[in-house]
Amino acid sequence: MSTKILVTYATCTGSTVGVAEAIGKTLSEGGLTVDVLPMKEVKNLSQYRAVVAGSAIQGKQWLPEAVDFVRANRAELSRKPFAAFLVCMTLAMKNGENYRPFVVEFLAPVRALVRPVSEGQFAGVLNISKVPSFSERIKFRLSVLFGVWTEGDHRDWKAIRSWAESLAPRLV
Ligand SMILES: Cc1cc2nc3c(=O)[nH]c(=O)nc-3n(C[C@H](O)[C@H](O)[C@H](O)COP(=O)(O)O)c2cc1C
């Protein structure tokens, strides 16, 4: 059987790419062979021993393309170790850790399709200039103005690496 691991991601404004790459790097440093690919470029899962899939959160959910990926590959993902992660801004709020139980539920629709062997929840990046929708940009500017969210990079690389390290034995 193949020993290769797939780390795949869905992103809107780019920050989930860095999280996926950091997970891939940590797994490679642990001696695993890893491909890191956007979900839309993944054609065939049969060559992989295990799959780690992650998405940016929008409207308290994985991006639709990410849920579609799991739905389309449900049978195959159920037969191999599958881990899931999310990247969101709720965990970057003041006292964000208090919201972790709420954030964990953002993955409920994914969990209902395929039960992950492990789940990671990470704070992301708010870069309003990269948000494609004008009305969303206005909403985010107001959220920043009222102190709900803070613009910038809130990714916690130590937490991301530590999750990836904990993942390795569950994937092989
Ligand atoms: C349109 C939009 C909706 C969002 N909705 C949520 C949300 O419901 N909850 C949350 O915690 N973060 C939300 N976020 C924040 C993103 O999850 C966060 O910025 C993440 O780092 C984006 O990842 P990406 O750069 O890979 O797209 C939203 C961001 C955008 C642009």
Side-chain angles (χ1 to χ4, degrees):
M1 182 189 272
S2 161
T3 53
K4 211 148 65 147
I5 310 288
L6 174 67
V7 179
T8 187
Y9 60 84
T11 180
C12 173
T13 62
S15 59
T16 305
V17 185
V19 176
E21 283 170 349
I23 292 167
K25 186 164 179 277
T26 304
L27 293 173
S28 316
E29 285 166 359
L32 299 171
T33 309
V34 183
D35 283 345
V36 180
L37 291 172
M39 282 175 193
K40 43 187 167 235
E41 282 180 24
V42 177
K43 299 280 176 272
N44 182 1
L45 292 182
S46 63
Q47 57 175 313
Y48 297 107
R49 169 78 183 84
V51 177
V52 182
S55 171
I57 292 294
Q58 288 198 1
K60 304 189 182 80
Q61 298 190 35
W62 263 16
L63 295 174
E65 67 177 271
V67 181
D68 288 348
F69 172 87
V70 174
R71 191 175 293 114
N73 293 290
R74 187 179 182 180
E76 183 132 26
L77 290 172
S78 305
R79 286 195 296 269
K80 42 185 102 199
F82 165 67
F85 70 92
L86 62 80
V87 180
C88 73
M89 275 303 291
T90 304
L91 290 172
M93 288 166 71
K94 214 184 285 167
N95 302 322
E97 275 308 314
N98 295 346
Y99 296 98
R100 194 171 284 274
F102 168 72
V103 167
V104 163
E105 287 318 304
F106 293 173
L107 273 178
V110 179
R111 214 176 287 136
L113 291 168
V114 183
R115 188 134 202 117
V117 294
S118 180
E119 297 178 12
Q121 306 89 25
F122 307 112
V125 176
L126 184 60
N127 183 342
I128 298 176
S129 67
K130 283 194 180 172
V131 174
S133 144
F134 176 73
S135 60
E136 293 290 353
R137 286 202 298 277
I138 300 286
K139 270 204 276 184
F140 285 121
R141 295 234 176 271
L142 289 172
S143 314
V144 169
L145 199 67
F146 290 111
V148 182
W149 288 354
T150 315
E151 264 211 282
D153 189 345
H154 303 275
R155 289 172 294 184
D156 178 346
W157 300 110
K158 203 168 153 220
I160 294 163
R161 276 194 295 269
S162 152
W163 182 68
E165 277 163 13
S166 76
L167 208 52
R170 294 163 185 236
L171 300 180
V172 290

